[in-house]
């Protein structure tokens, strides 16, 4: 999916919501356990109930990988029921030496047909570039994450006289590898004060913001500081939506939770994007 | 596997060779393609031919993941035919926020029974600690990798007045998370000059050194600079061994290639470990 197509979706749905399909077999509503593939059935119903309210779905691959081969089957089937006009993110945080990253790119872009993969930056250019294979396929690079451990290395200051943090150098360097038509960044919402620093370096790129909701970021603050003229934000919510209820009404309650976020986003789009 | 058990293996086999099972379906000898699972059959024969010459096997997970669900089946079957006394490394380079890293740990340590997983450091403490779950299960943390991209971020100097590189801070900080009984480090052999800097910070830890052979590091230099009193090195070779021949004699030729490395290692163990 191209940036123009993504922006078109955002305007049409008045939403920049990404729903995280972090589907934990231990948290499924009881009545789904009779299905042959309960994880897939859960995802299918969540997607059916929310597809008009969000512009992206993001399965975190760990949840599927932890189930062994059958988890990958659930993932493939899930991908097949996501409508074509919705952006898909394999939240895999992969990254390896060049010829090995190629294999990961093949797994997510060819064997499966994801629009994007999250990639870890530590191994540098040749670990990231193999994911930049063709138009409409995206790298979403980890820049500043929302977890406590982001303090350990991402927030180290560099000795180049710039007074910049490592995550800022990651943005600056990686922005030379691909432009805002192929690269996005993960920027943690629990650190709203840093959104401005990010926007100073990458004003045009889309930012994938996890951590709104369960992890505690403010949707208003992120939107005010992060939205640009082509929206430029995908805000992820996982648990607050998909586990809004653990009963038979889980899909209905997920829709209600997604609708609440979408309505708030509609207001920010009017106010800040126009 | 504990550190004492690993060292015992090393002394018994006079080897600190790790063989990388980076099995590419496109590079298999023709005669294996008739098997139901050619990747597994290739691995099985490589393992049978080399198990007395090496102390570890390291499948790079990308090669299996790229095959979809059936790749994970090949991986599980491969793990089952590796003798119990050989150390196993899931070269997965995973890492996510805490509760998600737990799922990856479960995938590699419980669903499968690997002794260790390679982990990327960028997301910090809470992304790594979930892999430190019990004795005999190891994190092998990326410190200094052997690819060109290692220059991009790992070699940035920090502004703390220490004149240290980022990878040195990664060593220093992560060494407070786990001792040398649970943590090892990936240190690229193409950068022999840095082995001494690494040993100054982590004298006791095992280092997993990729990049000898195809990627060009010198076994003599790495051994001289890296060996400690409990060996402290696992040196990986993948392509130079497993693809030593593409014919029907691939396993025999793999054995010859492994034997050559083992004999060289035997000399260094005598000379530097005693």
């Amino acid at each position: 999916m191209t940036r123009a197509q993504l922006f078109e979706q955002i305007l049409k749905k008045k939403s920049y919501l990404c729903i995280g399909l972090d589907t934990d077999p231990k948290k499924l509503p009881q009545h789904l356990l009779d299905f042959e593939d309960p994880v897939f059935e859960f995802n299918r119903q969540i997607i059916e109930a929310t597809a008009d309210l969000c512009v992206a779905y993001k399965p975190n691959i760990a949840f599927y990988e932890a189930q062994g081969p059958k988890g990958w089957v659930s993932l493939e089937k899930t991908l097949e029921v996501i409508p074509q006009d919705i952006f898909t993110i394999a939240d895999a945080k992969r990254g390896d030496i060049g010829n090995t990253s190629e294999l990961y790119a093949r797994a997510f872009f060819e064997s499966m047909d994801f629009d994007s993969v999250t990639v870890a930056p530590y191994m540098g250019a040749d670990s990231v570039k193999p994911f930049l294979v063709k138009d409409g396929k995206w790298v979403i690079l980890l820049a500043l994450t929302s977890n406590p451990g982001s303090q350990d290395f991402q927030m180290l200051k560099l000795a180049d006289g710039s007074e910049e943090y490592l995550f800022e150098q990651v943005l600056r360097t990686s922005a030379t590898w691909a432009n805002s038509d192929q690269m996005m960044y993960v920027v943690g919402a629990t650190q709203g004060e840093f959104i401005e620093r990010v926007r100073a370096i990458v004003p045009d790129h889309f930012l994938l913001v996890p951590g709104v909701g369960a992890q505690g970021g403010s949707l208003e603050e992120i939107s005010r500081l992060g939205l640009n003229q082509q929206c430029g934000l995908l805000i992820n919510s996982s648990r607050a939506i998909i586990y809004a209820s653990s009963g038979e009404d889980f899909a209905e309650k997920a829709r209600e939770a997604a609708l609440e976020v979408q309505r708030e986003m509609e207001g920010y789009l009017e106010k800040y994007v126009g």
Side-chain angles (χ1 to χ4, degrees), chain A:
Chain A
M1 182 179 293
T2 66
R3 191 155 69 122
Q5 289 167 332
L6 176 58
F7 187 46
E8 194 183 306
Q9 276 300 304
I10 289 168
L11 293 178
K12 189 172 120 194
K13 293 177 173 171
K14 304 183 198 313
S15 171
Y16 42 101
L17 174 61
C18 172
I19 295 179
L21 298 172
D22 301 354
T23 308
D24 184 343
K26 291 180 185 160
K27 291 188 184 166
L28 296 179
Q30 202 64 29
H31 73 288
L32 293 184
L33 302 182
D34 295 337
F35 282 83
E36 193 196 330
D37 184 341
V39 166
F40 166 68
E41 183 58 24
F42 179 84
N43 288 349
R44 193 190 66 73
Q45 292 195 35
I46 291 281
I47 291 163
E48 195 174 84
T50 59
D52 61 322
L53 301 174
C54 68
V55 295
Y57 287 108
K58 177 177 78 63
N60 186 310
I61 303 305
F63 287 79
Y64 302 87
E65 191 167 308
Q67 303 306 309
K70 76 175 192 298
W72 291 89
V73 173
S74 304
L75 180 63
E76 288 184 348
K77 284 158 64 185
T78 298
L79 199 54
E80 281 164 20
V81 298
I82 296 177
Q84 278 298 317
D85 58 5
I86 296 191
F87 191 73
T88 52
I89 301 168
D91 192 2
K93 302 185 177 72
R94 298 296 192 259
D96 206 308
I97 61 170
N99 63 349
T100 308
S101 271
E102 269 174 39
L103 293 169
Y104 281 127
R106 204 185 298 164
F108 292 109
F109 290 153
E110 292 179 26
S111 299
M112 291 178 276
D113 190 26
F114 279 98
D115 292 306
S116 65
V117 183
T118 59
V119 178
Y122 191 71
M123 294 182 71
D126 66 287
S127 72
V128 176
K129 288 181 177 174
F131 291 95
L132 300 164
V133 281
K134 49 183 167 181
D135 281 356
K137 296 293 186 186
W138 297 74
V139 164
I140 308 183
L141 197 68
L142 303 185
L144 182 60
T145 57
S146 58
N147 62 318
S150 63
Q151 298 295 313
D152 290 321
F153 306 122
Q154 299 166 29
M155 295 292 292
L156 290 176
K157 286 214 170 174
L158 301 177
D160 56 1
S162 67
E163 282 295 300
E164 285 196 339
Y165 295 107
L166 174 61
F167 80 87
E168 294 177 290
Q169 188 65 51
V170 166
L171 291 169
R172 220 176 267 290
T173 301
S174 62
T176 67
W177 304 336
N179 63 21
S180 57
D181 288 328
Q182 279 201 291
M183 183 89 85
M184 302 185 183
Y185 294 101
V186 172
V187 176
T190 55
Q191 319 210 18
E193 59 184 292
F194 291 107
I195 295 273
E196 285 178 297
R197 295 186 78 130
V198 170
R199 275 288 177 236
I201 301 171
V202 287
D204 297 328
H205 288 69
F206 265 87
L207 310 179
L208 171 63
V209 183
V212 171
Q215 291 174 59
S218 151
L219 178 55
E220 190 282 327
E221 184 186 29
I222 301 306
S223 301
R224 176 167 40 82
L225 301 173
L227 286 168
N228 65 23
Q229 285 310 301
Q230 289 208 303
C231 184
L233 286 182
L234 293 174
I235 293 193
N236 184 71
S237 179
S238 302
R239 284 165 279 177
I241 292 177
I242 70 173
Y243 300 134
S245 159
S246 59
E248 294 198 7
D249 61 350
F250 75 98
E252 189 187 323
K253 292 294 179 190
R255 179 175 177 79
E256 285 173 20
L259 188 60
E260 196 175 326
V261 181
Q262 180 273 321
R263 286 197 177 138
E264 195 177 338
M265 288 178 168
E266 185 170 345
Y268 302 137
L269 281 170
E270 278 172 21
K271 188 167 174 185
Y272 300 116
V273 180

PDB file of all heavy atoms in Angstrom, chain A residues 63-93:
ATOM      1  N   PHE A  63       3.058 -13.618  19.513  1.00  0.00           N
ATOM      2  CA  PHE A  63       1.883 -14.341  19.982  1.00  0.00           C
ATOM      3  C   PHE A  63       1.608 -15.573  19.125  1.00  0.00           C
ATOM      4  O   PHE A  63       1.085 -16.567  19.614  1.00  0.00           O
ATOM      5  CB  PHE A  63       0.654 -13.419  20.002  1.00  0.00           C
ATOM      6  CG  PHE A  63       0.703 -12.411  21.116  1.00  0.00           C
ATOM      7  CD1 PHE A  63       1.472 -11.257  21.018  1.00  0.00           C
ATOM      8  CD2 PHE A  63       0.006 -12.639  22.296  1.00  0.00           C
ATOM      9  CE1 PHE A  63       1.536 -10.337  22.057  1.00  0.00           C
ATOM     10  CE2 PHE A  63       0.058 -11.724  23.338  1.00  0.00           C
ATOM     11  CZ  PHE A  63       0.827 -10.574  23.220  1.00  0.00           C
ATOM     12  N   TYR A  64       1.957 -15.499  17.851  1.00  0.00           N
ATOM     13  CA  TYR A  64       1.714 -16.605  16.928  1.00  0.00           C
ATOM     14  C   TYR A  64       2.880 -17.594  16.963  1.00  0.00           C
ATOM     15  O   TYR A  64       2.680 -18.808  17.000  1.00  0.00           O
ATOM     16  CB  TYR A  64       1.450 -16.050  15.519  1.00  0.00           C
ATOM     17  CG  TYR A  64       0.267 -15.107  15.562  1.00  0.00           C
ATOM     18  CD1 TYR A  64       0.431 -13.750  15.874  1.00  0.00           C
ATOM     19  CD2 TYR A  64      -1.028 -15.590  15.402  1.00  0.00           C
ATOM     20  CE1 TYR A  64      -0.662 -12.906  16.003  1.00  0.00           C
ATOM     21  CE2 TYR A  64      -2.127 -14.755  15.516  1.00  0.00           C
ATOM     22  CZ  TYR A  64      -1.934 -13.410  15.825  1.00  0.00           C
ATOM     23  OH  TYR A  64      -3.004 -12.585  15.968  1.00  0.00           O
ATOM     24  N   GLU A  65       4.090 -17.038  16.991  1.00  0.00           N
ATOM     25  CA  GLU A  65       5.290 -17.880  17.033  1.00  0.00           C
ATOM     26  C   GLU A  65       5.287 -18.767  18.278  1.00  0.00           C
ATOM     27  O   GLU A  65       5.756 -19.909  18.236  1.00  0.00           O
ATOM     28  CB  GLU A  65       6.524 -16.968  17.021  1.00  0.00           C
ATOM     29  CG  GLU A  65       7.815 -17.697  16.788  1.00  0.00           C
ATOM     30  CD  GLU A  65       8.950 -16.736  16.475  1.00  0.00           C
ATOM     31  OE1 GLU A  65       8.808 -15.888  15.574  1.00  0.00           O
ATOM     32  OE2 GLU A  65       9.990 -16.833  17.141  1.00  0.00           O
ATOM     33  N   ALA A  66       4.767 -18.245  19.393  1.00  0.00           N
ATOM     34  CA  ALA A  66       4.751 -19.009  20.645  1.00  0.00           C
ATOM     35  C   ALA A  66       3.869 -20.250  20.547  1.00  0.00           C
ATOM     36  O   ALA A  66       3.976 -21.153  21.367  1.00  0.00           O
ATOM     37  CB  ALA A  66       4.294 -18.129  21.805  1.00  0.00           C
ATOM     38  N   GLN A  67       3.001 -20.307  19.527  1.00  0.00           N
ATOM     39  CA  GLN A  67       2.124 -21.472  19.346  1.00  0.00           C
ATOM     40  C   GLN A  67       2.719 -22.535  18.430  1.00  0.00           C
ATOM     41  O   GLN A  67       2.052 -23.523  18.116  1.00  0.00           O
ATOM     42  CB  GLN A  67       0.768 -21.030  18.768  1.00  0.00           C
ATOM     43  CG  GLN A  67       0.043 -20.002  19.595  1.00  0.00           C
ATOM     44  CD  GLN A  67      -0.119 -20.459  21.028  1.00  0.00           C
ATOM     45  OE1 GLN A  67      -0.574 -21.558  21.287  1.00  0.00           O
ATOM     46  NE2 GLN A  67       0.313 -19.629  21.976  1.00  0.00           N
ATOM     47  N   GLY A  68       3.948 -22.292  17.960  1.00  0.00           N
ATOM     48  CA  GLY A  68       4.547 -23.270  17.049  1.00  0.00           C
ATOM     49  C   GLY A  68       3.913 -23.209  15.664  1.00  0.00           C
ATOM     50  O   GLY A  68       3.238 -22.223  15.328  1.00  0.00           O
ATOM     51  N   PRO A  69       4.128 -24.239  14.842  1.00  0.00           N
ATOM     52  CA  PRO A  69       3.644 -24.205  13.454  1.00  0.00           C
ATOM     53  C   PRO A  69       2.175 -23.809  13.329  1.00  0.00           C
ATOM     54  O   PRO A  69       1.798 -23.066  12.429  1.00  0.00           O
ATOM     55  CB  PRO A  69       3.879 -25.637  12.971  1.00  0.00           C
ATOM     56  CG  PRO A  69       5.051 -26.112  13.786  1.00  0.00           C
ATOM     57  CD  PRO A  69       4.888 -25.471  15.141  1.00  0.00           C
ATOM     58  N   LYS A  70       1.316 -24.257  14.240  1.00  0.00           N
ATOM     59  CA  LYS A  70      -0.112 -23.936  14.092  1.00  0.00           C
ATOM     60  C   LYS A  70      -0.372 -22.441  14.293  1.00  0.00           C
ATOM     61  O   LYS A  70      -1.331 -21.892  13.758  1.00  0.00           O
ATOM     62  CB  LYS A  70      -0.975 -24.794  15.024  1.00  0.00           C
ATOM     63  CG  LYS A  70      -0.994 -24.418  16.493  1.00  0.00           C
ATOM     64  CD  LYS A  70      -2.020 -25.312  17.234  1.00  0.00           C
ATOM     65  CE  LYS A  70      -2.333 -24.823  18.635  1.00  0.00           C
ATOM     66  NZ  LYS A  70      -1.180 -24.795  19.554  1.00  0.00           N
ATOM     67  N   GLY A  71       0.494 -21.775  15.044  1.00  0.00           N
ATOM     68  CA  GLY A  71       0.370 -20.327  15.210  1.00  0.00           C
ATOM     69  C   GLY A  71       0.574 -19.592  13.887  1.00  0.00           C
ATOM     70  O   GLY A  71      -0.112 -18.610  13.596  1.00  0.00           O
ATOM     71  N   TRP A  72       1.510 -20.108  13.084  1.00  0.00           N
ATOM     72  CA  TRP A  72       1.751 -19.478  11.782  1.00  0.00           C
ATOM     73  C   TRP A  72       0.581 -19.698  10.834  1.00  0.00           C
ATOM     74  O   TRP A  72       0.294 -18.870   9.979  1.00  0.00           O
ATOM     75  CB  TRP A  72       3.071 -19.995  11.188  1.00  0.00           C
ATOM     76  CG  TRP A  72       4.232 -19.491  11.984  1.00  0.00           C
ATOM     77  CD1 TRP A  72       4.794 -20.108  13.075  1.00  0.00           C
ATOM     78  CD2 TRP A  72       4.933 -18.260  11.817  1.00  0.00           C
ATOM     79  NE1 TRP A  72       5.809 -19.320  13.580  1.00  0.00           N
ATOM     80  CE2 TRP A  72       5.917 -18.192  12.822  1.00  0.00           C
ATOM     81  CE3 TRP A  72       4.836 -17.214  10.901  1.00  0.00           C
ATOM     82  CZ2 TRP A  72       6.789 -17.113  12.943  1.00  0.00           C
ATOM     83  CZ3 TRP A  72       5.706 -16.135  11.022  1.00  0.00           C
ATOM     84  CH2 TRP A  72       6.665 -16.088  12.044  1.00  0.00           C
ATOM     85  N   VAL A  73      -0.081 -20.827  10.994  1.00  0.00           N
ATOM     86  CA  VAL A  73      -1.279 -21.070  10.186  1.00  0.00           C
ATOM     87  C   VAL A  73      -2.386 -20.086  10.593  1.00  0.00           C
ATOM     88  O   VAL A  73      -3.030 -19.474   9.739  1.00  0.00           O
ATOM     89  CB  VAL A  73      -1.750 -22.539  10.337  1.00  0.00           C
ATOM     90  CG1 VAL A  73      -3.081 -22.747   9.632  1.00  0.00           C
ATOM     91  CG2 VAL A  73      -0.684 -23.490   9.781  1.00  0.00           C
ATOM     92  N   SER A  74      -2.566 -19.887  11.897  1.00  0.00           N
ATOM     93  CA  SER A  74      -3.564 -18.906  12.371  1.00  0.00           C
ATOM     94  C   SER A  74      -3.255 -17.518  11.815  1.00  0.00           C
ATOM     95  O   SER A  74      -4.155 -16.772  11.418  1.00  0.00           O
ATOM     96  CB  SER A  74      -3.567 -18.820  13.902  1.00  0.00           C
ATOM     97  OG  SER A  74      -3.785 -20.067  14.498  1.00  0.00           O
ATOM     98  N   LEU A  75      -1.965 -17.186  11.789  1.00  0.00           N
ATOM     99  CA  LEU A  75      -1.558 -15.863  11.301  1.00  0.00           C
ATOM    100  C   LEU A  75      -1.872 -15.715   9.813  1.00  0.00           C
ATOM    101  O   LEU A  75      -2.431 -14.694   9.385  1.00  0.00           O
ATOM    102  CB  LEU A  75      -0.060 -15.666  11.560  1.00  0.00           C
ATOM    103  CG  LEU A  75       0.534 -14.332  11.102  1.00  0.00           C
ATOM    104  CD1 LEU A  75      -0.098 -13.162  11.853  1.00  0.00           C
ATOM    105  CD2 LEU A  75       2.049 -14.321  11.296  1.00  0.00           C
ATOM    106  N   GLU A  76      -1.533 -16.732   9.037  1.00  0.00           N
ATOM    107  CA  GLU A  76      -1.790 -16.665   7.589  1.00  0.00           C
ATOM    108  C   GLU A  76      -3.284 -16.543   7.299  1.00  0.00           C
ATOM    109  O   GLU A  76      -3.698 -15.776   6.423  1.00  0.00           O
ATOM    110  CB  GLU A  76      -1.220 -17.919   6.899  1.00  0.00           C
ATOM    111  CG  GLU A  76       0.295 -17.918   6.846  1.00  0.00           C
ATOM    112  CD  GLU A  76       0.882 -19.100   6.087  1.00  0.00           C
ATOM    113  OE1 GLU A  76       0.129 -20.051   5.786  1.00  0.00           O
ATOM    114  OE2 GLU A  76       2.072 -19.072   5.794  1.00  0.00           O
ATOM    115  N   LYS A  77      -4.091 -17.313   8.028  1.00  0.00           N
ATOM    116  CA  LYS A  77      -5.534 -17.243   7.813  1.00  0.00           C
ATOM    117  C   LYS A  77      -6.088 -15.869   8.220  1.00  0.00           C
ATOM    118  O   LYS A  77      -6.984 -15.325   7.566  1.00  0.00           O
ATOM    119  CB  LYS A  77      -6.235 -18.355   8.611  1.00  0.00           C
ATOM    120  CG  LYS A  77      -6.084 -19.730   7.969  1.00  0.00           C
ATOM    121  CD  LYS A  77      -6.280 -20.878   8.939  1.00  0.00           C
ATOM    122  CE  LYS A  77      -7.662 -20.959   9.520  1.00  0.00           C
ATOM    123  NZ  LYS A  77      -7.747 -22.031  10.557  1.00  0.00           N
ATOM    124  N   THR A  78      -5.523 -15.312   9.297  1.00  0.00           N
ATOM    125  CA  THR A  78      -5.953 -13.982   9.742  1.00  0.00           C
ATOM    126  C   THR A  78      -5.682 -12.947   8.656  1.00  0.00           C
ATOM    127  O   THR A  78      -6.532 -12.107   8.338  1.00  0.00           O
ATOM    128  CB  THR A  78      -5.219 -13.594  11.042  1.00  0.00           C
ATOM    129  OG1 THR A  78      -5.569 -14.533  12.065  1.00  0.00           O
ATOM    130  CG2 THR A  78      -5.590 -12.184  11.488  1.00  0.00           C
ATOM    131  N   LEU A  79      -4.485 -13.040   8.099  1.00  0.00           N
ATOM    132  CA  LEU A  79      -4.091 -12.069   7.076  1.00  0.00           C
ATOM    133  C   LEU A  79      -5.052 -12.120   5.884  1.00  0.00           C
ATOM    134  O   LEU A  79      -5.369 -11.097   5.275  1.00  0.00           O
ATOM    135  CB  LEU A  79      -2.655 -12.383   6.633  1.00  0.00           C
ATOM    136  CG  LEU A  79      -1.863 -11.283   5.932  1.00  0.00           C
ATOM    137  CD1 LEU A  79      -1.831 -10.010   6.762  1.00  0.00           C
ATOM    138  CD2 LEU A  79      -0.439 -11.766   5.656  1.00  0.00           C
ATOM    139  N   GLU A  80      -5.534 -13.323   5.582  1.00  0.00           N
ATOM    140  CA  GLU A  80      -6.437 -13.477   4.441  1.00  0.00           C
ATOM    141  C   GLU A  80      -7.803 -12.819   4.642  1.00  0.00           C
ATOM    142  O   GLU A  80      -8.459 -12.470   3.667  1.00  0.00           O
ATOM    143  CB  GLU A  80      -6.646 -14.972   4.138  1.00  0.00           C
ATOM    144  CG  GLU A  80      -5.479 -15.573   3.371  1.00  0.00           C
ATOM    145  CD  GLU A  80      -5.484 -17.100   3.411  1.00  0.00           C
ATOM    146  OE1 GLU A  80      -6.551 -17.687   3.680  1.00  0.00           O
ATOM    147  OE2 GLU A  80      -4.408 -17.685   3.193  1.00  0.00           O
ATOM    148  N   VAL A  81      -8.233 -12.671   5.888  1.00  0.00           N
ATOM    149  CA  VAL A  81      -9.553 -12.061   6.104  1.00  0.00           C
ATOM    150  C   VAL A  81      -9.493 -10.560   6.396  1.00  0.00           C
ATOM    151  O   VAL A  81     -10.521  -9.932   6.641  1.00  0.00           O
ATOM    152  CB  VAL A  81     -10.367 -12.789   7.214  1.00  0.00           C
ATOM    153  CG1 VAL A  81     -10.641 -14.236   6.797  1.00  0.00           C
ATOM    154  CG2 VAL A  81      -9.650 -12.739   8.562  1.00  0.00           C
ATOM    155  N   ILE A  82      -8.294  -9.994   6.385  1.00  0.00           N
ATOM    156  CA  ILE A  82      -8.198  -8.533   6.530  1.00  0.00           C
ATOM    157  C   ILE A  82      -8.497  -7.905   5.160  1.00  0.00           C
ATOM    158  O   ILE A  82      -7.861  -8.266   4.172  1.00  0.00           O
ATOM    159  CB  ILE A  82      -6.796  -8.112   7.027  1.00  0.00           C
ATOM    160  CG1 ILE A  82      -6.549  -8.678   8.436  1.00  0.00           C
ATOM    161  CG2 ILE A  82      -6.651  -6.588   7.010  1.00  0.00           C
ATOM    162  CD1 ILE A  82      -5.168  -8.394   9.000  1.00  0.00           C
ATOM    163  N   PRO A  83      -9.462  -6.990   5.110  1.00  0.00           N
ATOM    164  CA  PRO A  83      -9.803  -6.380   3.818  1.00  0.00           C
ATOM    165  C   PRO A  83      -8.575  -5.753   3.151  1.00  0.00           C
ATOM    166  O   PRO A  83      -7.697  -5.202   3.827  1.00  0.00           O
ATOM    167  CB  PRO A  83     -10.821  -5.297   4.201  1.00  0.00           C
ATOM    168  CG  PRO A  83     -11.434  -5.785   5.484  1.00  0.00           C
ATOM    169  CD  PRO A  83     -10.336  -6.506   6.197  1.00  0.00           C
ATOM    170  N   GLN A  84      -8.522  -5.863   1.820  1.00  0.00           N
ATOM    171  CA  GLN A  84      -7.376  -5.386   1.028  1.00  0.00           C
ATOM    172  C   GLN A  84      -7.020  -3.926   1.270  1.00  0.00           C
ATOM    173  O   GLN A  84      -5.861  -3.541   1.116  1.00  0.00           O
ATOM    174  CB  GLN A  84      -7.649  -5.593  -0.468  1.00  0.00           C
ATOM    175  CG  GLN A  84      -7.361  -6.998  -0.976  1.00  0.00           C
ATOM    176  CD  GLN A  84      -5.893  -7.391  -0.818  1.00  0.00           C
ATOM    177  OE1 GLN A  84      -4.998  -6.603  -1.087  1.00  0.00           O
ATOM    178  NE2 GLN A  84      -5.640  -8.608  -0.340  1.00  0.00           N
ATOM    179  N   ASP A  85      -8.007  -3.099   1.601  1.00  0.00           N
ATOM    180  CA  ASP A  85      -7.706  -1.665   1.720  1.00  0.00           C
ATOM    181  C   ASP A  85      -7.201  -1.293   3.114  1.00  0.00           C
ATOM    182  O   ASP A  85      -7.052  -0.112   3.418  1.00  0.00           O
ATOM    183  CB  ASP A  85      -8.923  -0.823   1.323  1.00  0.00           C
ATOM    184  CG  ASP A  85     -10.152  -1.147   2.179  1.00  0.00           C
ATOM    185  OD1 ASP A  85     -10.033  -1.953   3.125  1.00  0.00           O
ATOM    186  OD2 ASP A  85     -11.223  -0.591   1.884  1.00  0.00           O
ATOM    187  N   ILE A  86      -6.942  -2.274   3.956  1.00  0.00           N
ATOM    188  CA  ILE A  86      -6.417  -1.982   5.298  1.00  0.00           C
ATOM    189  C   ILE A  86      -4.938  -2.345   5.348  1.00  0.00           C
ATOM    190  O   ILE A  86      -4.512  -3.399   4.864  1.00  0.00           O
ATOM    191  CB  ILE A  86      -7.231  -2.733   6.380  1.00  0.00           C
ATOM    192  CG1 ILE A  86      -8.681  -2.209   6.357  1.00  0.00           C
ATOM    193  CG2 ILE A  86      -6.596  -2.555   7.758  1.00  0.00           C
ATOM    194  CD1 ILE A  86      -9.522  -2.668   7.518  1.00  0.00           C
ATOM    195  N   PHE A  87      -4.158  -1.438   5.921  1.00  0.00           N
ATOM    196  CA  PHE A  87      -2.706  -1.583   6.024  1.00  0.00           C
ATOM    197  C   PHE A  87      -2.378  -2.661   7.056  1.00  0.00           C
ATOM    198  O   PHE A  87      -2.969  -2.694   8.137  1.00  0.00           O
ATOM    199  CB  PHE A  87      -2.142  -0.225   6.470  1.00  0.00           C
ATOM    200  CG  PHE A  87      -0.647  -0.095   6.390  1.00  0.00           C
ATOM    201  CD1 PHE A  87      -0.009   0.034   5.159  1.00  0.00           C
ATOM    202  CD2 PHE A  87       0.119  -0.062   7.545  1.00  0.00           C
ATOM    203  CE1 PHE A  87       1.367   0.191   5.083  1.00  0.00           C
ATOM    204  CE2 PHE A  87       1.504   0.099   7.475  1.00  0.00           C
ATOM    205  CZ  PHE A  87       2.120   0.223   6.241  1.00  0.00           C
ATOM    206  N   THR A  88      -1.437  -3.545   6.709  1.00  0.00           N
ATOM    207  CA  THR A  88      -1.089  -4.626   7.635  1.00  0.00           C
ATOM    208  C   THR A  88       0.365  -4.519   8.087  1.00  0.00           C
ATOM    209  O   THR A  88       1.267  -4.260   7.282  1.00  0.00           O
ATOM    210  CB  THR A  88      -1.323  -6.000   6.974  1.00  0.00           C
ATOM    211  OG1 THR A  88      -0.660  -6.031   5.711  1.00  0.00           O
ATOM    212  CG2 THR A  88      -2.809  -6.266   6.795  1.00  0.00           C
ATOM    213  N   ILE A  89       0.556  -4.735   9.366  1.00  0.00           N
ATOM    214  CA  ILE A  89       1.880  -4.585   9.983  1.00  0.00           C
ATOM    215  C   ILE A  89       2.261  -5.894  10.671  1.00  0.00           C
ATOM    216  O   ILE A  89       1.575  -6.328  11.600  1.00  0.00           O
ATOM    217  CB  ILE A  89       1.865  -3.455  11.038  1.00  0.00           C
ATOM    218  CG1 ILE A  89       1.447  -2.120  10.402  1.00  0.00           C
ATOM    219  CG2 ILE A  89       3.236  -3.343  11.718  1.00  0.00           C
ATOM    220  CD1 ILE A  89       1.129  -1.028  11.420  1.00  0.00           C
ATOM    221  N   ALA A  90       3.348  -6.509  10.226  1.00  0.00           N
ATOM    222  CA  ALA A  90       3.905  -7.662  10.944  1.00  0.00           C
ATOM    223  C   ALA A  90       4.822  -7.099  12.024  1.00  0.00           C
ATOM    224  O   ALA A  90       5.919  -6.627  11.737  1.00  0.00           O
ATOM    225  CB  ALA A  90       4.685  -8.556   9.991  1.00  0.00           C
ATOM    226  N   ASP A  91       4.328  -7.115  13.261  1.00  0.00           N
ATOM    227  CA  ASP A  91       5.157  -6.542  14.336  1.00  0.00           C
ATOM    228  C   ASP A  91       6.119  -7.625  14.810  1.00  0.00           C
ATOM    229  O   ASP A  91       5.856  -8.372  15.748  1.00  0.00           O
ATOM    230  CB  ASP A  91       4.268  -6.053  15.481  1.00  0.00           C
ATOM    231  CG  ASP A  91       5.061  -5.211  16.468  1.00  0.00           C
ATOM    232  OD1 ASP A  91       6.259  -4.974  16.244  1.00  0.00           O
ATOM    233  OD2 ASP A  91       4.458  -4.767  17.467  1.00  0.00           O
ATOM    234  N   ALA A  92       7.242  -7.697  14.108  1.00  0.00           N
ATOM    235  CA  ALA A  92       8.165  -8.828  14.244  1.00  0.00           C
ATOM    236  C   ALA A  92       9.495  -8.400  14.848  1.00  0.00           C
ATOM    237  O   ALA A  92      10.234  -9.215  15.380  1.00  0.00           O
ATOM    238  CB  ALA A  92       8.405  -9.453  12.879  1.00  0.00           C
ATOM    239  N   LYS A  93       9.828  -7.118  14.722  1.00  0.00           N
ATOM    240  CA  LYS A  93      11.088  -6.574  15.246  1.00  0.00           C
ATOM    241  C   LYS A  93      12.278  -7.409  14.817  1.00  0.00           C
ATOM    242  O   LYS A  93      13.157  -7.714  15.606  1.00  0.00           O
ATOM    243  CB  LYS A  93      10.991  -6.409  16.767  1.00  0.00           C
ATOM    244  CG  LYS A  93       9.820  -5.492  17.173  1.00  0.00           C
ATOM    245  CD  LYS A  93       9.756  -5.200  18.662  1.00  0.00           C
ATOM    246  CE  LYS A  93       8.641  -4.233  19.019  1.00  0.00           C
ATOM    247  NZ  LYS A  93       7.276  -4.799  18.911  1.00  0.00           N
TER     248      LYS A  93
END
